[in-house]
Amino acid sequence: MVWRTDGAGADLDDLQFTLGEGPGVDAASSGELVLEPDLATVPAQRWPVFTPAALELGVQAVFAVPLRIGSIRVGVLLAHRDAPAPAERDRGVLTDLLAFAHAATDALLGSAAGGSEPHWMSERTSGYRAGVHQATGMISVQLEVAQGEALIRLRAYAFSHRRALAEVAADVVARRLRLDKDPD
Protein backbone atom coordinates (compact mmCIF):
# COMPACT_ATOMS: atom_id res chain seq x y z
CA MET A 1 0.00 0.00 0.00
CA VAL A 2 1.45 3.32 -1.04
CA TRP A 3 -1.51 5.66 -0.73
CA ARG A 4 -5.27 5.65 -0.39
CA THR A 5 -8.07 8.01 0.45
CA ASP A 6 -10.19 7.75 3.54
CA GLY A 7 -13.90 7.00 3.78
CA ALA A 8 -15.43 4.54 1.35
CA GLY A 9 -12.16 4.22 -0.61
CA ALA A 10 -10.31 3.05 2.48
CA ASP A 11 -13.18 0.77 3.43
CA LEU A 12 -13.15 -0.81 -0.05
CA ASP A 13 -9.40 -1.36 0.13
CA ASP A 14 -9.67 -2.96 3.57
CA LEU A 15 -12.58 -5.08 2.39
CA GLN A 16 -10.67 -6.42 -0.63
CA PHE A 17 -7.56 -7.10 1.41
CA THR A 18 -9.58 -8.84 4.11
CA LEU A 19 -11.53 -11.00 1.66
CA GLY A 20 -8.90 -11.55 -1.01
CA GLU A 21 -11.50 -10.78 -3.68
CA GLY A 22 -12.83 -7.75 -5.52
CA PRO A 23 -12.10 -5.55 -8.51
CA GLY A 24 -8.66 -4.44 -7.34
CA VAL A 25 -7.61 -8.03 -6.72
CA ASP A 26 -8.82 -9.02 -10.18
CA ALA A 27 -7.11 -6.07 -11.89
CA ALA A 28 -3.86 -6.79 -10.05
CA SER A 29 -3.85 -10.47 -10.96
CA SER A 30 -5.08 -10.18 -14.56
CA GLY A 31 -3.52 -6.86 -15.54
CA GLU A 32 -6.85 -5.94 -17.15
CA LEU A 33 -9.34 -3.14 -16.56
CA VAL A 34 -12.26 -4.06 -14.31
CA LEU A 35 -15.32 -1.92 -14.97
CA GLU A 36 -18.46 -2.73 -13.01
CA PRO A 37 -20.88 0.17 -13.49
CA ASP A 38 -23.63 -1.44 -11.40
CA LEU A 39 -22.62 -3.78 -8.57
CA ALA A 40 -26.21 -4.86 -8.08
CA THR A 41 -26.05 -6.67 -11.44
CA VAL A 42 -22.71 -8.45 -10.87
CA PRO A 43 -23.17 -12.25 -10.93
CA ALA A 44 -23.02 -13.67 -7.40
CA GLN A 45 -20.18 -16.04 -8.26
CA ARG A 46 -17.82 -13.22 -9.32
CA TRP A 47 -17.31 -11.71 -5.85
CA PRO A 48 -19.67 -13.63 -3.56
CA VAL A 49 -18.71 -11.80 -0.37
CA PHE A 50 -17.24 -8.53 -1.65
CA THR A 51 -20.28 -7.41 -3.66
CA PRO A 52 -22.88 -7.48 -0.86
CA ALA A 53 -20.40 -5.90 1.56
CA ALA A 54 -19.54 -3.10 -0.91
CA LEU A 55 -23.23 -2.45 -1.55
CA GLU A 56 -23.73 -2.25 2.22
CA LEU A 57 -21.05 0.48 2.28
CA GLY A 58 -23.11 2.43 -0.26
CA VAL A 59 -20.78 1.69 -3.19
CA GLN A 60 -22.79 1.07 -6.35
CA ALA A 61 -20.07 0.97 -9.03
CA VAL A 62 -16.36 0.10 -9.06
CA PHE A 63 -13.60 0.62 -11.59
CA ALA A 64 -10.11 -0.84 -11.21
CA VAL A 65 -7.23 0.11 -13.47
CA PRO A 66 -3.94 -1.76 -13.25
CA LEU A 67 -0.91 0.47 -12.91
CA ARG A 68 1.67 -0.93 -15.28
CA ILE A 69 4.42 -0.29 -17.75
CA GLY A 70 4.19 -2.94 -20.44
CA SER A 71 3.81 -6.25 -18.62
CA ILE A 72 5.19 -4.93 -15.33
CA ARG A 73 2.38 -4.37 -12.83
CA VAL A 74 3.07 -1.96 -9.99
CA GLY A 75 -0.38 -1.54 -8.47
CA VAL A 76 -4.04 -0.75 -9.03
CA LEU A 77 -6.06 2.44 -9.09
CA LEU A 78 -9.54 1.79 -7.69
CA ALA A 79 -12.39 4.25 -8.19
CA HIS A 80 -15.98 3.91 -7.05
CA ARG A 81 -19.35 5.62 -7.31
CA ASP A 82 -22.30 5.84 -4.96
CA ALA A 83 -24.71 5.52 -7.87
CA PRO A 84 -24.70 3.06 -10.77
CA ALA A 85 -23.57 4.62 -14.05
CA PRO A 86 -21.41 3.14 -16.79
CA ALA A 87 -17.95 4.64 -17.12
CA GLU A 88 -18.40 4.40 -20.89
CA ARG A 89 -21.44 6.70 -20.72
CA ASP A 90 -19.11 9.64 -20.46
CA ARG A 91 -15.92 8.91 -22.36
CA GLY A 92 -14.31 11.74 -20.44
CA VAL A 93 -14.68 9.84 -17.15
CA LEU A 94 -12.91 6.76 -18.49
CA THR A 95 -10.28 8.94 -20.17
CA ASP A 96 -9.68 10.75 -16.86
CA LEU A 97 -9.43 7.47 -14.97
CA LEU A 98 -6.82 6.16 -17.41
CA ALA A 99 -4.92 9.47 -17.21
CA PHE A 100 -4.89 9.28 -13.40
CA ALA A 101 -3.64 5.70 -13.59
CA HIS A 102 -0.84 6.76 -15.92
CA ALA A 103 0.13 9.65 -13.62
CA ALA A 104 0.08 7.37 -10.57
CA THR A 105 2.29 4.85 -12.36
CA ASP A 106 4.76 7.57 -13.27
CA ALA A 107 4.76 8.83 -9.68
CA LEU A 108 5.35 5.33 -8.30
CA LEU A 109 8.17 4.62 -10.71
CA GLY A 110 9.71 8.04 -10.12
CA SER A 111 9.58 7.47 -6.36
CA ALA A 112 11.05 3.97 -6.70
CA ALA A 113 13.87 5.31 -8.87
CA GLY A 114 14.89 7.82 -6.21
CA GLY A 115 12.95 10.74 -7.63
CA SER A 116 10.94 13.03 -5.44
CA GLU A 117 7.55 11.70 -4.48
CA PRO A 118 4.47 13.81 -5.02
CA HIS A 119 2.98 15.59 -2.02
CA TRP A 120 -0.05 13.26 -2.00
CA MET A 121 2.25 10.32 -1.29
CA SER A 122 4.29 12.01 1.44
CA GLU A 123 2.04 10.89 4.31
CA ARG A 124 1.65 7.30 3.27
CA THR A 125 1.29 4.62 5.89
CA SER A 126 4.58 2.77 5.97
CA GLY A 127 4.38 -0.98 6.50
CA TYR A 128 0.58 -1.02 6.34
CA ARG A 129 0.49 -4.69 5.47
CA ALA A 130 3.63 -5.90 7.20
CA GLY A 131 1.63 -6.54 10.37
CA VAL A 132 -0.69 -8.88 8.48
CA HIS A 133 2.26 -11.01 7.43
CA GLN A 134 3.66 -10.99 10.98
CA ALA A 135 0.28 -11.99 12.42
CA THR A 136 -0.04 -14.75 9.82
CA GLY A 137 3.28 -16.20 10.94
CA MET A 138 2.30 -16.00 14.60
CA ILE A 139 -1.04 -17.71 13.97
CA SER A 140 0.67 -20.37 11.87
CA VAL A 141 2.91 -21.26 14.81
CA GLN A 142 0.15 -20.95 17.45
CA LEU A 143 -2.27 -23.20 15.59
CA GLU A 144 0.34 -25.44 13.97
CA VAL A 145 -1.10 -24.81 10.49
CA ALA A 146 0.37 -23.70 7.17
CA GLN A 147 0.65 -19.96 6.58
CA GLY A 148 -2.02 -20.08 3.89
CA GLU A 149 -4.52 -21.47 6.37
CA ALA A 150 -3.38 -19.00 9.02
CA LEU A 151 -4.07 -16.09 6.65
CA ILE A 152 -7.50 -17.51 5.80
CA ARG A 153 -8.32 -17.75 9.51
CA LEU A 154 -7.10 -14.20 10.11
CA ARG A 155 -9.22 -12.92 7.22
CA ALA A 156 -12.25 -14.88 8.39
CA TYR A 157 -11.92 -13.50 11.91
CA ALA A 158 -11.61 -9.93 10.63
CA PHE A 159 -14.60 -10.27 8.31
CA SER A 160 -16.85 -12.05 10.79
CA HIS A 161 -16.09 -9.42 13.45
CA ARG A 162 -16.50 -6.59 10.89
CA ARG A 163 -13.01 -5.24 11.51
CA ALA A 164 -10.21 -4.21 9.17
CA LEU A 165 -7.65 -6.95 8.62
CA ALA A 166 -4.79 -4.62 9.59
CA GLU A 167 -6.48 -3.86 12.94
CA VAL A 168 -6.96 -7.53 13.78
CA ALA A 169 -3.38 -8.27 12.72
CA ALA A 170 -2.11 -5.47 14.99
CA ASP A 171 -4.00 -7.05 17.91
CA VAL A 172 -2.46 -10.45 17.16
CA VAL A 173 1.06 -9.02 16.91
CA ALA A 174 0.57 -7.03 20.15
CA ARG A 175 -0.74 -10.24 21.79
CA ARG A 176 -4.13 -8.69 22.57
CA LEU A 177 -5.78 -11.38 20.45
CA ARG A 178 -5.07 -15.06 20.06
CA LEU A 179 -7.04 -17.21 17.66
CA ASP A 180 -8.21 -20.57 18.95
CA LYS A 181 -7.51 -23.87 17.25
CA ASP A 182 -11.24 -24.21 16.55
CA PRO A 183 -12.52 -21.28 14.42
CA ASP A 184 -15.45 -19.18 15.76
Side-chain angles (χ1 to χ4, degrees), residues 135-136 138-145 149-158 160-161 163 165 168-169 171-172 176-184:
T136 298
M138 290 175 68
I139 293 168
S140 174
V141 171
Q142 289 169 0
L143 302 181
E144 299 174 350
V145 297
E149 182 177 337
L151 179 58
I152 289 170
R153 288 188 183 208
L154 184 64
R155 284 179 161 158
Y157 183 93
S160 67
H161 288 84
R163 295 181 60 202
L165 184 60
V168 173
D171 284 349
V172 169
R176 292 184 296 262
L177 174 66
R178 183 179 173 100
L179 300 186
D180 296 325
K181 286 195 180 218
D182 294 321
D184 292 334

Side-chain angles (χ1 to χ4, degrees), residues 35 37 61 63 81 83-95:
L35 306 173
F63 311 99
R81 290 185 175 168
E88 306 83 33
R89 180 192 75 191
D90 179 1
R91 288 195 181 269
V93 173
L94 186 55
T95 300

Side-chain angles (χ1 to χ4, degrees), residues 4 8 15 38 40-41 45 48 58 66 70 79 98 107 124 127 142 159 171 180:
R4 69 178 186 180
L15 187 62
D38 187 354
T41 64
Q45 67 271 20
L98 293 171
R124 67 180 174 224
Q142 289 169 0
F159 183 73
D171 284 349
D180 296 325

Side-chain angles (χ1 to χ4, degrees), residues 64-158:
V65 182
L67 306 180
R68 63 183 183 191
I69 297 289
S71 63
I72 301 169
R73 297 181 210 147
V74 295
V76 173
L77 174 68
L78 181 68
H80 66 278
R81 290 185 175 168
D82 60 2
E88 306 83 33
R89 180 192 75 191
D90 179 1
R91 288 195 181 269
V93 173
L94 186 55
T95 300
D96 288 348
L97 188 59
L98 293 171
F100 284 131
H102 181 73
T105 303
D106 286 348
L108 285 170
L109 294 177
S111 176
S116 63
E117 59 185 26
H119 73 282
W120 53 267
M121 287 176 59
S122 62
E123 295 182 17
R124 67 180 174 224
T125 305
S126 178
Y128 170 72
R129 298 213 163 118
V132 173
H133 300 296
Q134 291 170 325
T136 298
M138 290 175 68
I139 293 168
S140 174
V141 171
Q142 289 169 0
L143 302 181
E144 299 174 350
V145 297
Q147 288 193 6
E149 182 177 337
L151 179 58
I152 289 170
R153 288 188 183 208
L154 184 64
R155 284 179 161 158
Y157 183 93

